[in-house]
Amino acid sequence: MRSHYCGEINESHIDQQVTVCGWVHRRRDHGGVIFIDLRDREGLLQVVYDPDNPEPFMLAEKVRSEYVLRVTGRVRRRPEGTENANMPTGQIEVLGLELEILNHSETPPFQLDDEDVAEEHRLRYRYVDLRRPEMLQRMKLRSKITTEFRNYLNDNGFLEIETPMLTKATPEGARDYLVPSRTHDGAFFALPQSPQLFKQLLMVAGMDRYYQIVRCFRDEDLRADRQPEFTQLDIETSFLDEEAIMPMMEGMLRHVFAHVLEIPLHDPFPRMTYAEAIRRFGSDKPDLRIPLELVDVADVMQGVEFKVFSGPANDPAGRVAALRVPKGGELTRKEIDDYTDFVSIYGARGLAYIKINDIAAGREGLQSPILKFLPDDAIEAILQRTEAENGDLIFFGADKATVVNEALGALRVKLGHEKGYLEHGWQPLWVVDFPMFEWDQGSQRWYSLHHPFTSPNEADLDKLESDPGNCGSRAFDMVLNGTEIGGGSMRIYREEVQRRVFKALGIGEGEAQEKFGFLLDALHYGCPPHGGMAFGLDRLVMLMTGAQSIRDVMAFPKTQSASCLLTQAPSPVSEAQLRELHIKLRNPPGKEKPGG
Amino acid sequence: MRSHYCGEINESHIDQQVTVCGWVHRRRDHGGVIFIDLRDREGLLQVVYDPDNPEPFMLAEKVRSEYVLRVTGRVRRRPEGTENANMPTGQIEVLGLELEILNHSETPPFQLDDEDVAEEHRLRYRYVDLRRPEMLQRMKLRSKITTEFRNYLNDNGFLEIETPMLTKATPEGARDYLVPSRTHDGAFFALPQSPQLFKQLLMVAGMDRYYQIVRCFRDEDLRADRQPEFTQLDIETSFLDEEAIMPMMEGMLRHVFAHVLEIPLHDPFPRMTYAEAIRRFGSDKPDLRIPLELVDVADVMQGVEFKVFSGPANDPAGRVAALRVPKGGELTRKEIDDYTDFVSIYGARGLAYIKINDIAAGREGLQSPILKFLPDDAIEAILQRTEAENGDLIFFGADKATVVNEALGALRVKLGHEKGYLEHGWQPLWVVDFPMFEWDQGSQRWYSLHHPFTSPNEADLDKLESDPGNCGSRAFDMVLNGTEIGGGSMRIYREEVQRRVFKALGIGEGEAQEKFGFLLDALHYGCPPHGGMAFGLDRLVMLMTGAQSIRDVMAFPKTQSASCLLTQAPSPVSEAQLRELHIKLRNPPGKEKPGG
């Protein structure tokens, strides 16, 4: 139906006859001539109809926004002075000789170049929204990104293997989407939160190197950038340890960035221990583009009268940290109040600060509501340790360590974005040496920091029972610009270790057998040492395209209440369907629904 | 951990020291020396431990089948006379210098080379079953096939775009797997039977060329080669008609066959109309490797006394057809009885036949229980029309056309396979010119032969209301060796036509709006002409690998009762989970389940 895409016509086609198809992006009459900007996937093309060709001209007069046209015409240079340097096809235009209206369009629900359309409206009419050039560009880039991931993995001997979507439901699988079975009364499948166990079984099966770009599901309250279904690049290898897997994985990221964005990433990626990341950045996914760092000052606060500081300073679970903000002296009272509100989200009960007006003037040169509570030596130690300079401001966090880390970690990122401390570029990072477990105060039990199949450090095996809190794991996370884009680990491959880890997590023998019996079985039929990673594809594409939300890199995302505004899913079903599935509604509607 | 894969070591490595990892495939003591065939993804390697190296030798003595080993040793030529020509590594062996037992294995549930393991047992221990070389080979080939599909599509400007798995449930979606929503009391998602509507919306959005290798779901009773979840290669294009799409699609198949199997397929694929396929082969997916054909003889049977033939011959909905079986005279009475039983599956009430012993002898040279019912001229016409020769047998079908087509069509294939009429090689074929609708006697309504979004022929638009049975569609199916591997069509892109097709299918305005309102909406905002195809990937991989079942080309398939023997899915869930989802069981178990 066409000879070219609109966007690919250029000066080399001048005097040629071309046929193009696309949508009417803009149409205007000017001096008795009709100009149509015709749009297709590859770009815009100006088509001109003049009354010398009365038949197509009369058709062109009827054309409206988003009509679908087929145009045949001759490419010519635009008249001097009418070129458009902002358009790739801006040097030429097509003199329309024929015109076929392939389809009409009602007035679209919004203009493609309107940047203030409510997201609900965009999602409701997603097929119009996706026509916007930046959305199209994101879909293209996403496709290119997955292609390059696959190219790299195929070249490195990985097999793409599909794992089931209808998987085993486990009692207490709180975030599982469930699927009632028709053939098994009272039984349910679960949609996978990840193919973790299947990929481990593929290693037991000797597949050696596996990958899959796979849909995963998690039924949880949706934060700004979560979706009930999301896409994971899932990878597993046998007979390679972390020192082999990590270079291979960062090589993959370098390949993708080089081939998609033509951007070279660090080689190798820097590595940082979990402990250092928490100490310096209050986070296990630090954004290294932001030069602000947390500095421990608990030791100098232990003796002060001021209980707000000395309390946490003397609490083994507490932390007192300072965050120097260069030129932060310029922050207004109002801004500081806003930041105080901000850290309260993370449980911080306040946000003490010191402004450094004139460091040479000692106490007189400082400005702070808490100054009076701090002795000279403490102040001096703080200034020295934070390397404060005139014009700076120092924020303080003093609380349980988790509160201080979260609050100052988040404040650091917020200041970075809002106050111009964010450096350009890409800062990938490995975070390593994670603890195996973290203690949950509420339920009074240990949880896996990653998942229960992560291998403990060989050297810490004896701590599984005696000192789980100090048992290290063989996990490694890939962080990019403050986002965890991939989580990886060496897995447990010995049945005995797996049983001990389940036990440490409070999972009894019976429960372990019921939930993970097939894995434990597999472990005693010759399981190789293995490990792998899982990357959040949506998140990574979002970073690479500069989108603000993962919804903007998915063709048909759901809202925060997990519904699809386009198709109106989820929706009621008929009583007959429910009966087939051996279930009924807990709160049936007052009257029968249509079709129900 | 290793320097090479086992299977890649050859004579070029002689005298080199290598390290390999893998599973103990076989271990035997012979003349005081221990031989281990070590297996990994790439093949087998013979490793020899002799008592000169006492430490690894003693370890090697402990080794059993399926233990996981790491072996370091020196490659050497096998002693003369001990080479194994059946093994790619059969010229060499590795003299083991070091041995590390990476993991133990219990006695495996079955031997890998045992070909008589029950499928239930194989599925229960799938991670062992997948170690069998033919299963591994299928997984490798599948990965290569998907890679080559993607390469071709990427090179042809297709974008890979993901569509949702949690989609709109429709009342009466009889084969839908449903997913209860936690956030919307009483509402359900459905897992997609195909991404048909989403890919059409992507065309409305201007994506121009889309593909996806995507999981689809159908909750139906499973025949031998159906699975509740299956994989589709899904393709859609805009501004291309069937004359552009079909060559592009067969080009893709040629590409994949050439790159994966090094087999050239026909260029172009032959085409056959639906009517011709039914007439000659009784099937819209004829296996052209089988030269047997149906021949119509209704006209010569219209006047015969024999009601079994004359009835259907005079019924407009009937058919009387002959199937000549060359050398079929050798069939025994028992075999003919078995074939009679076979066609009864398809509703045939008998299977008349004539054996041709001596065609020159006229009636005397024939042998048949029905001979006495047929006049000479009918017999002569049959012999002439079927081109029968001495030693042949002619089967007859006489019934409703659908019964004759199904019965003789299936018999033809059965004879082809069992009696050696099957030619080797690959016979791809396009079947075209399908009817839009078929009449269902039971529900007294028209059904889509493909789906309700298939475009009618432009020339037949006026028959949508007046004569739906003679309305042709723009559908095209790709058939390979008697299997429909892909279904395609041009889609309806005008709202008015879509509404008329819904009406012809007995879908009222309200129902159309409720189920497909978002599609109808999209059609009036500038929908381009578009069409596409969907290929059943599992089926195609099965054909290409020579597997007997699609279960053999899936890593973790389900049984015919839609359960996973490996993980024991589906399974009961807790009362708390059901409560969260606002549903309850129709038949709750007598007592609380553990964890429930």
Side-chain angles (χ1 to χ4, degrees):
Chain A
M1 290 185 77
R2 68 180 154 208
S3 62
H4 297 80
Y5 280 109
C6 293
E8 64 186 14
I9 295 183
N10 56 43
E11 290 165 277
S12 76
H13 301 98
I14 284 174
D15 289 334
Q16 288 182 26
Q17 180 159 316
V18 297
T19 301
V20 291
C21 295
W23 286 259
V24 175
H25 193 65
R26 244 176 254 107
R27 174 194 159 285
R28 58 197 185 284
D29 298 6
H30 189 72
V33 172
I34 297 171
F35 292 87
I36 294 172
D37 284 349
L38 198 67
R39 187 191 68 240
D40 68 13
R41 195 180 82 182
E42 302 305 324
L44 289 171
L45 177 68
Q46 177 167 295
V47 185
V48 185
Y49 284 97
D50 63 36
D52 295 348
N53 277 308
E55 208 177 325
F57 181 81
M58 276 157 60
L59 268 180
E61 281 192 309
K62 293 186 191 160
V63 151
R64 297 289 173 269
S65 265
E66 301 304 320
Y67 273 38
V68 187
L69 306 185
R70 182 176 187 227
V71 165
T72 297
R74 218 183 56 248
V75 183
R76 66 183 188 190
R77 191 174 297 282
R78 292 198 191 186
E80 213 175 314
T82 69
E83 301 93 340
N84 183 345
N86 298 322
M87 245 172 121
T89 62
Q91 299 303 312
I92 50 95
E93 63 187 10
V94 166
L95 175 65
L97 304 173
E98 292 170 36
L99 173 58
E100 187 182 351
I101 296 179
L102 296 171
N103 216 342
H104 298 76
S105 172
E106 289 186 15
T107 305
F110 49 85
Q111 294 300 315
L112 298 198
D113 50 8
D114 182 351
E115 290 181 0
D116 284 329
V117 185
E119 193 179 15
E120 290 68 32
H121 209 51
R122 290 176 48 202
L123 293 177
R124 165 85 179 76
Y125 298 98
R126 189 58 156 185
Y127 42 85
V128 174
D129 186 46
L130 287 171
R131 290 179 187 167
R132 295 191 299 125
E134 67 259 43
M135 289 304 290
L136 177 60
Q137 204 48 40
R138 286 170 190 148
M139 294 299 124
K140 280 188 182 177
L141 216 65
R142 182 174 181 133
S143 179
K144 197 158 164 45
I145 289 167
T146 56
T147 297
E148 291 303 337
F149 272 122
R150 288 200 172 93
N151 286 348
Y152 181 91
L153 290 164
N154 291 337
D155 288 348
N156 279 278
F158 284 80
L159 301 179
E160 185 183 13
I161 303 177
E162 296 182 67
T163 54
M165 294 280 114
L166 295 171
T167 65
K168 186 179 168 66
T170 51
E172 297 154 45
R175 294 162 164 188
D176 278 348
Y177 276 101
L178 296 182
V179 183
S181 163
R182 185 172 51 78
T183 41
H184 297 79
D185 187 352
F188 293 77
F189 295 102
L191 300 179
Q193 295 190 24
S194 100
Q196 179 65 32
L197 294 181
F198 287 108
K199 71 176 173 176
Q200 293 192 233
L201 294 179
L202 288 174
M203 296 302 103
V204 178
M207 295 295 152
D208 204 77
R209 294 186 182 185
Y210 142 93
Y211 81 95
Q212 191 183 193
I213 295 182
V214 61
R215 204 68 55 83
C216 300
F217 303 84
R218 207 166 294 167
D219 188 7
E220 60 189 347
D221 296 311
L222 303 171
R223 285 185 255 152
D225 53 357
R226 290 280 175 93
Q227 282 281 312
E229 47 179 315
F230 53 97
T231 303
Q232 193 161 294
L233 168 58
D234 199 47
I235 293 171
E236 198 76 8
T237 71
S238 296
F239 303 117
L240 296 180
D241 64 13
E242 45 270 73
E243 290 310 323
I245 294 176
M246 289 162 75
M248 187 182 273
M249 293 295 102
E250 55 176 271
M252 178 175 73
L253 265 285
R254 276 193 296 273
H255 172 92
V256 170
F257 269 75
H259 284 79
V260 178
L261 299 181
E262 294 178 20
I263 286 173
L265 290 184
H266 295 294
D267 184 4
F269 289 4
R271 295 188 189 184
M272 187 180 289
T273 66
Y274 174 82
E276 181 182 350
I278 297 289
R279 183 166 48 76
R280 291 174 56 194
F281 307 104
S283 166
D284 59 0
K285 37 182 183 284
D287 189 339
L288 297 189
R289 294 174 304 170
I290 301 165
L292 314 183
E293 292 194 21
L294 278 64
V295 173
D296 273 313
V297 292
D299 55 331
V300 303
M301 299 298 195
Q302 275 169 347
V304 304
E305 298 275 327
F306 190 40
K307 286 276 181 286
V308 171
F309 281 0
S310 63
N314 287 297
D315 177 355
R319 183 174 187 188
V320 185
L323 179 71
R324 177 172 76 97
V325 185
K327 313 282 171 232
E330 293 162 12
L331 294 179
T332 63
R333 181 68 238 172
K334 168 80 171 64
E335 285 175 316
I336 293 174
D337 285 348
D338 288 347
Y339 289 130
T340 308
D341 288 347
F342 174 73
V343 296
S344 74
I345 301 170
Y346 301 91
R349 280 162 294 181
L351 183 63
Y353 66 89
I354 301 177
K355 277 190 183 176
I356 293 94
N357 296 329
D358 180 5
I359 207 161
R363 196 177 272 271
E364 296 309 306
L366 306 178
Q367 180 187 340
S368 166
I370 60 162
L371 214 57
K372 54 181 177 286
F373 303 120
L374 300 178
D376 284 351
D377 58 344
I379 291 174
E380 195 161 330
I382 290 162
L383 294 179
Q384 204 159 28
R385 208 172 281 183
T386 58
E387 301 177 13
E389 295 177 8
N390 287 345
D392 291 356
L393 177 146
I394 301 170
F395 281 123
F396 293 90
D399 210 312
K400 294 285 176 202
T402 50
V403 172
V404 171
N405 293 333
E406 285 190 25
L408 290 192
L411 179 61
R412 177 184 166 272
V413 172
K414 194 177 172 67
L415 284 163
H417 281 86
E418 293 181 354
K419 291 294 162 187
Y421 297 108
L422 193 72
E423 287 159 11
H424 282 290
W426 298 93
Q427 291 289 354
L429 168 77
W430 287 109
V431 177
V432 296
D433 290 350
F434 282 86
M436 272 292 279
F437 307 106
E438 57 187 355
W439 180 253
D440 181 64
Q441 202 61 32
S443 58
Q444 288 285 306
R445 47 158 286 201
W446 294 104
Y447 278 87
S448 296
L449 202 75
H450 282 81
H451 54 57
F453 318 106
T454 304
S455 176
N457 285 332
E458 284 294 314
D460 293 340
L461 277 179
D462 58 344
K463 295 186 188 143
L464 276 177
E465 292 82 15
S466 61
D467 187 8
N470 281 312
C471 184
S473 78
R474 296 174 67 184
F476 39 91
D477 281 1
M478 192 188 283
V479 174
L480 181 62
N481 289 2
T483 298
E484 183 203 319
I485 58 169
S489 66
M490 299 309 298
R491 323 301 186 185
I492 297 168
Y493 66 97
R494 281 172 297 175
E495 186 186 357
E496 169 251 346
V497 176
Q498 187 66 71
R499 288 193 187 275
R500 287 169 61 197
V501 167
F502 282 152
K503 202 170 162 194
L505 291 167
I507 302 174
E509 287 280 329
E511 187 185 349
Q513 200 59 41
E514 188 189 346
K515 285 185 180 175
F516 308 116
F518 60 99
L519 175 70
L520 292 168
D521 277 0
L523 291 179
H524 58 234
Y525 287 118
C527 176
H530 63 288
M533 289 196 73
F535 292 86
L537 188 69
D538 310 295
R539 194 66 44 89
L540 183 62
V541 174
M542 183 184 98
L543 286 178
M544 290 181 72
T545 58
Q548 293 303 308
S549 154
I550 58 170
R551 292 188 298 279
D552 278 343
V553 297
M554 303 173 86
F556 302 105
K558 297 202 169 50
T559 64
Q560 291 196 28
S561 65
S563 60
C564 172
L565 297 179
L566 172 64
T567 61
Q568 302 300 321
S571 57
V573 299
S574 71
E575 177 62 21
Q577 283 169 287
L578 297 180
R579 200 175 306 121
E580 277 262 297
L581 301 175
H582 320 291
I583 57 172
K584 47 187 172 180
L585 299 185
R586 218 164 259 273
N587 309 305
K591 52 190 175 110
E592 282 286 278
K593 288 190 176 56
Chain B
M1 289 186 77
R2 67 181 156 206
S3 62
H4 297 80
Y5 280 109
C6 293
E8 64 184 14
I9 294 183
N10 57 42
E11 290 166 276
S12 77
H13 301 98
I14 284 173
D15 289 335
Q16 288 182 27
Q17 180 159 316
V18 297
T19 301
V20 291
C21 296
W23 285 260
V24 176
H25 193 66
R26 246 179 252 105
R27 173 194 162 285
R28 58 199 185 282
D29 298 6
H30 189 71
V33 172
I34 297 171
F35 292 87
I36 294 172
D37 283 348
L38 198 65
R39 187 192 68 241
D40 67 14
R41 195 180 81 182
E42 302 306 323
L44 289 170
L45 177 69
Q46 176 167 295
V47 185
V48 186
Y49 284 97
D50 65 34
D52 295 348
N53 277 308
E55 207 176 326
F57 181 82
M58 278 158 60
L59 267 180
E61 282 191 310
K62 294 185 190 161
V63 151
R64 296 291 174 268
S65 265
E66 301 303 319
Y67 273 37
V68 187
L69 306 186
R70 182 178 188 225
V71 165
T72 298
R74 217 183 56 249
V75 183
R76 66 183 187 191
R77 191 174 299 281
R78 291 197 191 186
E80 213 174 311
T82 68
E83 300 94 341
N84 183 344
N86 297 323
M87 245 172 119
T89 62
Q91 299 304 313
I92 51 94
E93 63 187 13
V94 166
L95 175 67
L97 304 174
E98 293 170 36
L99 174 58
E100 187 182 350
I101 297 178
L102 295 172
N103 216 342
H104 298 76
S105 172
E106 289 186 14
T107 305
F110 50 84
Q111 293 300 316
L112 297 199
D113 49 9
D114 182 351
E115 290 181 2
D116 285 328
V117 185
E119 193 180 14
E120 290 67 33
H121 208 51
R122 288 175 49 202
L123 292 177
R124 164 85 180 76
Y125 297 98
R126 189 61 157 183
Y127 41 86
V128 174
D129 186 47
L130 287 172
R131 289 179 188 167
R132 296 191 300 125
E134 69 260 42
M135 288 304 291
L136 177 59
Q137 203 49 40
R138 287 172 190 145
M139 294 299 124
K140 278 187 184 178
L141 215 64
R142 182 174 182 133
S143 179
K144 196 158 164 47
I145 289 167
T146 55
T147 297
E148 291 303 337
F149 272 121
R150 287 200 172 92
N151 286 348
Y152 181 89
L153 290 164
N154 291 338
D155 287 348
N156 279 277
F158 284 81
L159 301 179
E160 186 183 12
I161 302 178
E162 297 183 68
T163 54
M165 293 280 115
L166 296 171
T167 65
K168 185 179 169 64
T170 52
E172 296 153 44
R175 295 163 163 187
D176 279 348
Y177 276 101
L178 295 182
V179 183
S181 163
R182 185 171 51 78
T183 41
H184 298 79
D185 187 353
F188 293 78
F189 294 103
L191 301 179
Q193 295 189 25
S194 100
Q196 180 65 33
L197 295 182
F198 286 109
K199 71 176 172 175
Q200 293 193 232
L201 294 179
L202 288 173
M203 295 302 103
V204 179
M207 295 296 154
D208 203 77
R209 295 187 181 186
Y210 142 94
Y211 82 95
Q212 188 181 193
I213 295 182
V214 60
R215 204 68 56 82
C216 300
F217 303 83
R218 207 167 295 168
D219 188 8
E220 60 191 347
D221 297 312
L222 303 172
R223 287 185 255 153
D225 53 357
R226 291 281 175 93
Q227 283 280 312
E229 46 179 315
F230 55 96
T231 302
Q232 193 161 295
L233 168 57
D234 199 47
I235 293 172
E236 198 77 7
T237 71
S238 296
F239 302 117
L240 297 179
D241 64 13
E242 45 271 71
E243 290 310 322
I245 294 176
M246 290 163 75
M248 187 182 272
M249 293 295 100
E250 55 176 270
M252 177 175 75
L253 265 286
R254 276 193 296 272
H255 172 93
V256 170
F257 269 76
H259 285 79
V260 178
L261 298 181
E262 293 177 21
I263 286 174
L265 291 185
H266 294 295
D267 183 5
F269 288 5
R271 297 188 189 185
M272 187 180 291
T273 65
Y274 174 83
E276 181 182 350
I278 297 289
R279 183 166 49 78
R280 292 174 55 192
F281 307 104
S283 166
D284 60 359
K285 36 182 186 284
D287 189 339
L288 297 189
R289 296 173 304 169
I290 303 166
L292 314 183
E293 292 195 22
L294 278 63
V295 174
D296 273 313
V297 291
D299 54 331
V300 302
M301 299 298 194
Q302 274 168 348
V304 304
E305 298 274 327
F306 190 38
K307 285 276 178 290
V308 170
F309 282 0
S310 63
N314 289 296
D315 177 356
R319 184 175 187 187
V320 185
L323 179 70
R324 177 172 76 97
V325 185
K327 314 280 170 229
E330 294 161 10
L331 294 178
T332 64
R333 180 67 240 173
K334 167 82 173 62
E335 286 174 317
I336 293 174
D337 286 348
D338 288 347
Y339 290 130
T340 308
D341 288 347
F342 174 74
V343 295
S344 74
I345 301 171
Y346 302 91
R349 281 161 295 181
L351 182 62
Y353 67 90
I354 300 177
K355 276 189 183 176
I356 292 93
N357 296 330
D358 180 3
I359 205 159
R363 198 177 270 272
E364 298 308 305
L366 306 178
Q367 180 187 340
S368 164
I370 61 162
L371 214 55
K372 55 180 175 288
F373 302 119
L374 300 178
D376 284 351
D377 58 343
I379 291 175
E380 195 161 328
I382 290 163
L383 293 179
Q384 205 161 28
R385 207 172 282 183
T386 58
E387 301 176 13
E389 296 177 6
N390 287 345
D392 291 355
L393 177 144
I394 301 170
F395 282 122
F396 292 90
D399 210 313
K400 294 284 176 204
T402 51
V403 172
V404 171
N405 293 333
E406 285 189 26
L408 291 193
L411 178 61
R412 177 185 166 272
V413 171
K414 193 175 172 70
L415 285 163
H417 281 87
E418 292 182 353
K419 291 293 163 186
Y421 297 106
L422 192 73
E423 287 160 10
H424 282 290
W426 299 93
Q427 291 289 355
L429 169 76
W430 286 110
V431 178
V432 296
D433 290 350
F434 283 87
M436 271 293 279
F437 307 106
E438 57 187 354
W439 179 254
D440 182 63
Q441 202 61 32
S443 58
Q444 288 286 304
R445 46 159 287 200
W446 294 103
Y447 278 87
S448 297
L449 203 77
H450 282 82
H451 54 58
F453 317 106
T454 303
S455 177
N457 285 333
E458 284 293 314
D460 293 340
L461 277 178
D462 57 345
K463 296 186 187 142
L464 276 177
E465 291 82 16
S466 60
D467 187 9
N470 281 310
C471 184
S473 78
R474 297 175 67 183
F476 39 89
D477 280 1
M478 192 188 284
V479 173
L480 181 63
N481 289 1
T483 297
E484 183 203 318
I485 58 169
S489 66
M490 300 308 299
R491 324 299 186 185
I492 297 167
Y493 67 97
R494 282 171 298 175
E495 186 186 358
E496 169 250 347
V497 178
Q498 186 66 72
R499 289 193 186 275
R500 286 170 61 197
V501 167
F502 283 152
K503 202 170 162 196
L505 291 166
I507 303 175
E509 287 280 331
E511 187 184 349
Q513 200 58 43
E514 188 188 346
K515 285 184 179 175
F516 308 117
F518 59 100
L519 175 69
L520 292 169
D521 278 359
L523 291 180
H524 57 236
Y525 288 118
C527 176
H530 63 288
M533 288 197 75
F535 292 87
L537 188 70
D538 310 296
R539 194 64 45 88
L540 182 63
V541 174
M542 184 183 98
L543 286 178
M544 291 182 71
T545 59
Q548 292 303 307
S549 154
I550 58 169
R551 292 188 297 279
D552 279 343
V553 297
M554 303 173 85
F556 302 105
K558 297 200 168 52
T559 64
Q560 291 196 28
S561 66
S563 60
C564 172
L565 297 178
L566 171 64
T567 61
Q568 303 300 321
S571 57
V573 299
S574 71
E575 176 62 21
Q577 282 169 288
L578 298 180
R579 201 175 304 121
E580 277 261 298
L581 301 175
H582 321 291
I583 58 172
K584 47 187 173 180
L585 300 183
R586 220 164 257 274
N587 310 304
K591 49 189 179 113
E592 282 284 281
K593 292 190 172 59

